[in-house]
């Protein structure tokens, strides 16, 4: 048994129980790992050994991160830490989190799995040494097990076995289990064994075990009966016994035998169906035929050897390279069939080396293939040892090709690594290499470069309208357009699904701005025919200057992406060009520094909420009971940090979802803590980010949170920005309808700032429209801003939507808003944000 538990109590009954439980854990069709409070592995089942290639014996007692160093410092490592230290669980699925699962699989396996992960979960779990956690890994397709795995593991990792839970575990086992007395009479079976055999429970209880296993026909006392079982197992491959179902069909079951810890005198048989693994003769024959077909079509020479280094088979290409006919060379030593030497005339035999060392061996440089009657040919070769299921060396495969072909293949593979297969453009990896070279060039001279980060607008709409084929065509055409605009002296790369980058080499900032503006003009006028329509898109561009003050290539990419985000906030086909010369520091040059600060604040709960009143206007006698919740971060010294400093970083690096969850959870908790009299007419407005709006899991989380809290949903109002609502219109509409069905209110924030469209507004069932503060601040001095506020207010009222003016800073603005007929006002002139207790004692 490769898996096991690090705990090993001395009591024989406990040890037997652990052996039985661990055997059943090994029969699970999912990966099971248990870590103690230090992150050290205490359970590692067979599935994990097969999946990772790390044997359970080697894994036990080792820190999980040392077994999988590629996960150190990553998101999965942080989740495990939170589970152990803060009792927080998480589950990721293929449908919602494919990139997360791909990252974990790439770090933990060799990349040769046929099925992807379908689910990964981390669950806090009590272990002998304190708080630990359970890791589960499930491959697609996923069939949920009847009982949570941590219920299974408790007896294994606890110092005392809970015998009452033992039958429950057997019933939920993925293996068939039956108990037999000293005379070979079946006393009990689990549901899985009944499913395997086709029998009903009453047909097996109190009947001889030979009803299931005909080979077990003898009867004797308990000790001899156990010996009989062991003899029968040894007579078959790896403990496999032939079982017969109620329909007379045969099945191969791998059987493990243990003494029962529940009742003295009983034997427990744990049975796993291995019929499929063994396969039928016809299946094996088809596999051989398929292998022979592939073997004959490969463009390299291949020679298959047995464990003694004798040739078993050579494919057609290999025969041609060696000057042999079919059947020649078989059963001969490899060195007499494949003759190779180095540039000094010494013999080269990678196959013998591979068989002796048990590892892959390659030929040295300048190796020549010697064939009688031909000129020596330069070749490369790789010999790979083969092993049987017991890990014993039983052969070797030699792959060899001429150097010219090797170079051609190598060049092709190198190109594929650095290029996008769809557009044929360089990819992100290639761009990062070029950025490193560009940064180095600025250190040695006065060169300046510029990186343009280009995000296509409405690309998803093209995919939805014309299908994936239209989207692929669009991406190829956009790549050609960019190459045409910038020419051959600069680098155009595709770095994301709908994101491109242009590295302008040795290009002054002024020239780069002109090129970026030309790209926008070309994209604005660009369209392409698709079936009966013409499809158009837009773009936003962020720019970052590269000079001798630039840090790393990652800093450049982050800053350019941040600039692109700024451009998107301004609307469609916008350019945000940010220089950092003459001592000026870019607004978001060091944005990445906020990420560990935000993560630590989330883990340590160092956030708080301040509330700002939303006051009714026009002499309305309505109660002043409407507030907006505004988040603040608390730094290590206890000082408050405004959201404008950390929210942009959280949005860029995917932490805004955690912040939004913290906010809604805290608002609901603070509302629930108020006395009924104080909260009876209270309403709190909560901001939701664009990323959260698009997260289906957040909608379910929020609805469940409201149901569990028992608060009145009418006390909650949610704010989404106009830009976020229109970018993710369908998701926003779905979220609004779901929350309004509960009784919550909705407001559209920052209206008029960017993508304003009253056509969209008619379709969004919002209750309030918040007029962007940029208009309100200057309305007493600008007729245009005054007219904007008046027009938005008038049209909103026609649609039956109440209006809220943001950023009211003086009495003149307040008076004008009242004259216009705006319903509510909010700003520092009326009240500054304060903790809830400052407004509601």
């Amino acid at each position: 048994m490769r898996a096991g538990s690090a705990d090993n109590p001395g009591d024989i009954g406990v040890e037997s129980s652990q052996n039985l439980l661990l055997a059943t854990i090994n029969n699970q069709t999912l990966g099971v790992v248990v870590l103690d409070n230090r992150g050290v592995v205490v359970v590692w089942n067979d599935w994990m050994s097969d999946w990772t290639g790390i044997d359970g014996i080697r894994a036990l007692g080792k820190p999980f991160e040392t077994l999988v160093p590629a996960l150190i410092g990553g998101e999965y490592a942080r989740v495990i830490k939170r589970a152990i230290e803060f009792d927080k669980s998480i589950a990721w699925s293929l449908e919602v989190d494919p990139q997360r699962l791909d990252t974990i699989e790439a770090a933990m396996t060799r990349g040769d799995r046929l099925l992807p992960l379908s689910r990964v979960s981390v669950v806090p779990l009590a272990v002998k040494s304190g708080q630990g956690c359970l890791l589960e890994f499930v491959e697609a397709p996923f069939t949920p097990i009847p009982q949570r795995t941590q219920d299974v593991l408790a007896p294994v990792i606890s110092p005392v076995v809970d015998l009452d839970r033992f039958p429950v575990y057997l019933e939920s086992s993925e293996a068939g289990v039956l108990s037999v007395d000293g005379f070979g009479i079946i006393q009990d079976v689990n549901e899985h064994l009944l499913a395997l055999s086709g029998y009903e429970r009453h047909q097996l209880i109190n009947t001889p075990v030979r009803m299931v296993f005909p080979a077990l026909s003898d009867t004797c006392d308990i000790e001899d009966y156990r010996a009989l079982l062991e003899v029968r197992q040894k007579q078959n491959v790896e403990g496999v016994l032939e079982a017969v179902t109620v329909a007379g069909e045969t099945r191969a079951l791998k059987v493990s035998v243990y003494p029962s810890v529940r009742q003295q005198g009983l034997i427990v048989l744990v049975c796993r169906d291995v019929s499929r693994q063994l396969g039928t003769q016809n299946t094996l024959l088809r596999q051989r035929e398929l292998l022979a077909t592939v073997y004959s079509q490969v463009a390299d020479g291949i020679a298959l050897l047995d464990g003694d280094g004798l040739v078993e088979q050579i494919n057609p290409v290999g025969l041609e390279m060696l000057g042999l006919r079919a059947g020649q060379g078989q059963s001969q030593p490899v060195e007499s069939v494949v003759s190779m030497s180095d540039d000094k005339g010494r013999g080269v035999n990678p196959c013998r080396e591979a068989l002796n060392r048990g590892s892959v061996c390659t030929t040295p440089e300048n190796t020549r293939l010697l064939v009688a009657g031909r000129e020596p040919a330069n070749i490369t070769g790789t010999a790979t040892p083969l092993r049987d299921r017991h890990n014993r060396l039983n052969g070797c495969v030699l792959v060899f090709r001429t150097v010219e072909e090797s170079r051609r293949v190598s060049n092709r593979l190198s190109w594929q690594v650095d290029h996008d297969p769809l557009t044929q453009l360089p990819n992100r990896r290639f761009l990062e290499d070029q950025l490193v070279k560009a940064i180095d060039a600025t250190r040695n001279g006065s060169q300046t470069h510029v990186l343009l980060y280009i995000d296509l607008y409405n690309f998803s709409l093209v995919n939805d309208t014309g299908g994936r084929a239209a989207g692929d065509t669009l991406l190829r055409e956009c790549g050609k357009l960019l190459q045409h605009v910038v020419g051959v002296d600069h680098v155009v790369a595709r770095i994301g699904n709908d994101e491109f980058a242009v590295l302008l080499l040795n290009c002054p900032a002024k020239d780069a701005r002109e090129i970026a503006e030309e790209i926008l003009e070309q994209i604005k006028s660009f369209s392409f025919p698709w079936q009966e329509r013409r499809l158009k898109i837009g773009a936003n561009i962020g720019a970052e200057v590269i000079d001798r003050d630039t840090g790393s290539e990652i800093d450049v990419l982050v800053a350019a992406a941040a600039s692109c985000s700024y451009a998107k906030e301004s609307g469609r086909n916008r350019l945000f060009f940010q220089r950092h010369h003459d001592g000026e520091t870019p607004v978001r040059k060091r944005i990445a520094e906020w990420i560990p600060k935000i993560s630590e604040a989330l883990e340590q709960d160092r956030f708080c909420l301040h509330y700002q009143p939303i006051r009714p206007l026009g002499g309305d006698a309505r109660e002043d009971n409407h507030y907006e919740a505004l988040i603040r971060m608390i730094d290590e010294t206890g000082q408050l940090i405004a959201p404008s400093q950390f929210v942009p970083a959280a949005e860029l690096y995917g932490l805004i979802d955690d912040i939004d969850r913290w906010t809604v959870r805290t608002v609901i908790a603070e509302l629930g803590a108020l006395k009924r009299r104080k909260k009876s007419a209270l309403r709190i407005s909560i901001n939701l980010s664009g990323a959260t709006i698009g997260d289906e899991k957040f909608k379910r989380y929020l609805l469940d949170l409201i149901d569990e809290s028992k608060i009145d949903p009418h006390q909650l109002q949610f704010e989404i920005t106009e830009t976020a609502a229109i970018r993710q219109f369908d998701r926003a509409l779905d979220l609004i309808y779901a929350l309004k069905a509960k009784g919550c209110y909705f407001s559209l924030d920052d209206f008029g700032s960017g993508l304003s469209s009253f056509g969209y507004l008619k379709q969004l069932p919002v209750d309030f429209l918040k007029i962007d503060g940029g208009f309100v601040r200057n309305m007493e001095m600008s007729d245009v801003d005054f007219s904007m506020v008046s027009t938005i207010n008038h049209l909103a009222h026609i649609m039956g939507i109440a209006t809220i003016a943001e950023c009211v800073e003086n009495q003149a603005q307040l008076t004008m808003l009242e004259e216009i007929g705006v319903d509510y006002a909010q700003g520092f002139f009326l009240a500054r944000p304060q903790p809830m207790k400052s407004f509601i004692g």
Side-chain angles (χ1 to χ4, degrees):
M1 186 186 303
R2 286 175 293 174
S5 166
D7 295 328
N8 186 24
D11 184 81
I12 298 301
V14 173
E15 184 175 359
S16 298
S17 172
Q18 287 190 350
N19 289 339
L20 178 55
L21 288 170
L22 286 171
T24 320
I25 291 168
N26 283 334
N27 288 325
Q28 299 291 320
T29 56
L30 74 160
V32 176
V33 177
V34 176
L35 308 180
D36 66 12
N37 60 344
R38 301 165 299 163
V40 171
V41 175
V42 295
V43 170
W44 183 281
N45 76 339
D46 276 353
W47 193 98
M48 288 299 299
S49 298
D50 294 337
W51 187 61
T52 64
I54 301 173
D55 192 87
I57 296 175
R58 184 161 68 90
L60 289 178
K62 302 285 178 51
F64 181 71
E65 288 191 341
T66 64
L67 295 172
V68 194
L71 294 176
I72 294 176
E75 183 182 21
Y76 190 57
R78 292 195 297 271
V79 166
I80 293 173
K81 183 178 180 182
R82 283 202 294 270
I84 295 175
E85 296 182 358
F86 303 104
D87 197 32
K88 294 183 179 179
S89 61
I90 193 169
W92 294 332
S93 66
L94 181 62
E95 294 80 7
V96 181
D97 313 285
Q99 291 183 339
R100 285 169 165 160
L101 267 59
D102 286 348
T103 300
I104 293 172
E105 187 160 15
M108 298 185 67
T109 70
R110 297 180 295 269
D112 57 352
R113 306 296 298 180
L114 295 177
L115 292 175
L117 285 174
S118 67
R119 180 173 170 271
V120 169
S121 64
V122 181
V123 182
L125 192 66
V127 297
K128 183 177 180 181
S129 57
Q131 175 75 8
C133 70
L134 163 69
L135 313 181
E136 293 176 314
F137 305 86
V138 184
E139 266 186 340
F142 170 55
T143 303
I145 58 175
Q147 185 84 9
R148 286 301 304 268
T149 310
Q150 57 263 40
D151 293 334
V152 171
L153 288 163
V156 180
I157 58 179
S158 174
V160 179
V161 177
D162 183 354
L163 297 179
D164 291 335
R165 296 174 65 182
F166 184 68
V168 176
Y169 171 63
L170 292 182
E171 288 303 326
S172 64
S173 171
E174 290 295 314
V177 181
L178 69 163
S179 60
V180 181
D181 67 13
F183 300 98
I185 303 301
I186 299 173
Q187 300 299 309
D188 198 5
V189 294
N190 74 343
E191 292 297 332
H192 198 79
L193 192 282
L194 295 175
L196 284 174
S197 65
Y199 285 102
E200 299 290 336
R201 183 181 298 273
H202 66 85
Q203 293 177 295
L204 290 181
I205 302 301
N206 295 323
T207 62
V209 72
R210 64 175 179 269
M211 285 279 291
V212 180
F213 298 104
L216 304 178
S217 57
D218 301 84
T219 58
C220 49
D221 60 42
I222 186 166
E223 293 300 327
D224 290 336
Y225 202 84
R226 287 190 61 186
L228 169 67
L229 289 172
E230 292 175 359
V231 169
R232 292 293 185 266
Q233 283 178 293
K234 291 178 181 178
Q235 291 174 346
N236 296 274
V237 178
E238 295 187 350
V240 174
L241 292 179
E242 187 177 86
V244 178
T245 69
V246 68
E249 299 174 347
T250 59
R251 290 198 175 188
L253 302 184
K254 184 175 181 179
V255 179
S256 301
V257 183
Y258 304 91
S260 172
V261 296
R262 187 163 174 79
Q263 183 176 343
Q264 188 174 5
L266 295 184
I267 305 168
V268 177
L269 280 67
V270 179
C271 313
R272 183 175 61 181
D273 189 355
V274 293
S275 303
R276 290 186 178 181
Q277 289 95 310
L278 296 180
T280 63
Q281 186 173 1
N282 290 336
T283 301
L284 293 175
L285 180 60
R286 286 195 297 270
Q287 290 176 346
R288 291 193 192 100
E289 291 172 350
L290 177 62
L291 179 60
T293 301
V294 175
Y295 195 59
S296 64
Q297 298 299 319
V298 175
D300 297 328
I302 300 176
L304 184 64
L305 284 61
D306 65 14
D308 296 322
L310 302 180
V311 175
E312 291 186 341
Q313 193 173 358
I314 303 174
N315 74 333
V317 175
L319 291 172
E320 171 62 28
M321 293 176 66
L322 297 172
L324 302 175
R325 296 189 302 275
Q328 286 186 318
Q330 290 186 4
S331 302
Q332 297 182 29
V334 62
E335 50 268 27
S336 66
V337 178
V338 185
S339 179
M340 293 180 283
S341 68
D342 61 16
D343 53 359
K344 296 182 179 179
R346 294 173 298 195
V348 173
N349 195 335
C351 297
R352 291 293 179 189
E353 283 189 64
L355 289 171
N356 291 334
R357 292 163 47 185
S359 60
V360 177
C361 295
T362 58
T363 57
E365 290 187 13
N366 301 319
T367 296
R368 298 179 301 171
L369 178 65
L370 308 177
V371 177
R374 296 183 184 177
E375 289 292 324
N378 291 330
I379 67 165
T380 62
T382 302
T384 304
L386 304 177
R387 299 178 182 273
D388 61 17
R389 65 196 326 182
H390 301 289
N391 204 35
R392 295 182 296 237
L393 282 172
N394 68 346
C396 176
V397 61
L398 172 66
V399 180
F400 54 102
R401 65 170 73 99
T402 62
V403 169
E404 290 74 16
E405 174 68 11
S406 176
R407 286 174 180 162
R408 184 183 67 80
V409 172
S410 177
N411 290 337
R412 185 178 73 248
L413 292 176
S414 177
W415 188 91
Q416 290 173 345
V417 166
D418 289 333
H419 286 74
D420 169 45
L422 175 65
T423 63
Q424 308 295 297
L425 294 174
N427 57 19
R428 186 186 182 104
R429 171 187 170 126
F430 184 90
L431 177 67
E432 289 176 354
D433 290 341
Q434 295 301 305
L435 283 171
V436 171
K437 295 176 182 177
I439 293 169
D440 289 342
T442 63
R443 304 283 193 268
N444 303 321
S446 58
Q447 289 186 357
T448 298
H449 319 288
V450 177
L451 178 68
L452 303 180
Y453 195 106
I454 304 168
D455 183 18
L456 299 185
Y457 183 90
N458 266 358
F459 172 71
S460 59
L461 183 61
V462 172
N463 261 339
D464 294 340
T465 303
R468 183 167 181 176
D472 289 349
T473 302
L474 170 63
L475 292 172
R476 284 191 290 265
E477 293 300 318
C478 283
K480 294 175 183 177
L481 182 150
L482 293 173
Q483 287 179 307
H484 174 74
V485 172
V486 305
V488 297
D489 296 330
H490 308 294
V491 178
V492 177
R494 183 188 177 202
I495 58 175
N497 183 43
D498 56 355
E499 295 168 329
F500 292 83
V502 174
L503 177 58
L504 301 173
L505 297 168
N506 197 18
C507 181
K510 180 176 178 296
D511 295 345
R513 178 184 287 276
E514 293 176 357
I515 293 174
E517 290 173 347
E518 175 64 17
I519 289 173
L520 284 180
E521 287 301 317
Q522 291 288 337
I523 289 177
K524 276 195 272 186
S525 60
F526 166 77
S527 67
F528 71 101
W530 187 261
Q531 296 176 354
E532 298 179 356
R533 67 191 74 179
R534 294 194 70 85
L535 301 179
K536 289 182 67 66
I537 58 165
N540 292 288
I541 301 179
E544 176 67 8
V545 176
I546 303 169
D547 55 25
R548 63 176 56 201
D549 296 324
T550 298
S552 69
E553 72 279 10
I554 301 302
D555 291 332
V556 176
L557 279 167
V558 168
S563 295
C564 188
S565 295
Y566 272 139
K568 285 193 286 186
E569 290 171 6
S570 302
R572 180 179 180 179
N573 293 325
R574 303 299 176 91
L575 167 65
F576 188 86
F577 201 101
Q578 183 169 261
R579 291 204 62 193
H580 54 94
H581 54 80
D582 301 329
E584 180 185 355
T585 302
V587 178
R588 298 177 71 172
K589 180 180 178 182
R590 308 308 303 169
I591 195 171
E593 295 177 358
W594 279 103
I595 303 311
K597 296 178 182 178
I598 296 171
S599 299
E600 288 177 7
L602 285 167
E603 290 183 359
Q604 299 170 14
D605 200 26
R606 283 194 285 103
F607 287 95
C608 67
L609 292 177
H610 284 188
Y611 296 84
Q612 186 174 38
I614 301 174
R615 299 276 169 82
L617 299 180
D620 200 319
R622 288 172 293 185
E623 185 179 352
D624 187 4
N625 56 14
H626 195 173
Y627 299 87
E628 180 180 359
L630 301 168
I631 193 168
R632 304 286 188 266
M633 183 192 291
I634 305 171
D635 68 13
E636 294 83 352
T637 65
Q639 299 298 310
L640 295 182
I641 302 173
S644 60
Q645 297 188 52
F646 62 86
V647 166
E651 289 178 332
L652 187 61
Y653 286 92
L655 293 174
I656 194 65
D657 180 67
D658 292 331
I659 291 177
D660 281 355
R661 288 177 182 241
W662 184 94
T663 302
V664 296
R665 192 168 60 245
T666 304
V667 168
I668 290 174
E670 292 190 358
L671 271 174
L674 291 174
K675 295 180 180 179
R676 179 174 298 180
R677 177 181 58 81
K678 295 180 178 179
K679 67 179 178 181
S680 59
L682 192 65
R683 185 185 305 156
I684 304 297
S685 186
I686 305 170
N687 289 282
L688 298 180
S689 68
T692 300
I693 294 168
D695 185 357
E696 183 67 23
K697 291 171 64 178
F698 176 81
K699 183 184 79 171
R700 186 71 262 160
Y701 170 82
L702 183 52
L703 294 173
D704 291 344
L705 192 63
I706 293 171
D707 290 339
E708 294 167 3
S709 68
K710 309 300 183 188
I711 67 168
D712 184 356
H714 289 85
Q715 295 179 293
L716 297 177
Q717 177 175 316
F718 295 96
E719 292 188 16
I720 58 177
T721 66
E722 173 202 4
T723 303
I726 294 177
R727 279 196 187 134
Q728 307 206 47
F729 185 76
D730 291 338
R731 289 289 179 91
L733 201 61
D734 182 52
L735 181 65
I736 292 172
Y737 276 122
L739 289 171
K740 285 182 70 68
K742 287 283 185 184
C744 302
Y745 294 89
F746 253 90
S747 61
L748 196 59
D749 196 11
D750 296 339
F751 193 83
S753 62
L755 302 170
S756 53
S757 166
F758 284 98
Y760 279 112
L761 183 59
K762 287 191 296 185
Q763 301 177 57
L764 290 170
V766 296
D767 306 287
F768 299 90
L769 191 136
K770 301 188 78 170
I771 303 170
D772 183 66
F775 301 125
V776 177
R777 286 192 189 97
N778 300 311
M779 61 183 297
E780 76 272 30
M781 296 179 291
S782 169
D783 291 339
V784 173
D785 288 339
F786 177 85
S787 298
M788 285 293 298
V789 174
S790 179
T791 300
I792 292 172
N793 180 71
H794 178 66
L795 291 174
H797 284 173
I798 290 175
M799 296 179 187
I801 302 173
T803 54
I804 303 171
E806 299 180 294
C807 304
V808 178
E809 298 176 345
N810 55 54
Q811 182 62 50
Q813 294 168 359
L814 188 62
T815 301
M816 295 173 79
L817 292 169
E818 289 178 334
E819 291 175 353
I820 291 171
V822 173
D823 299 295
Y824 296 87
Q826 177 183 2
F828 285 179
F829 178 70
L830 299 171
R832 288 182 173 272
Q834 297 290 335
M836 183 177 285
K837 63 182 180 181
S838 300
F839 299 106
I840 307 170

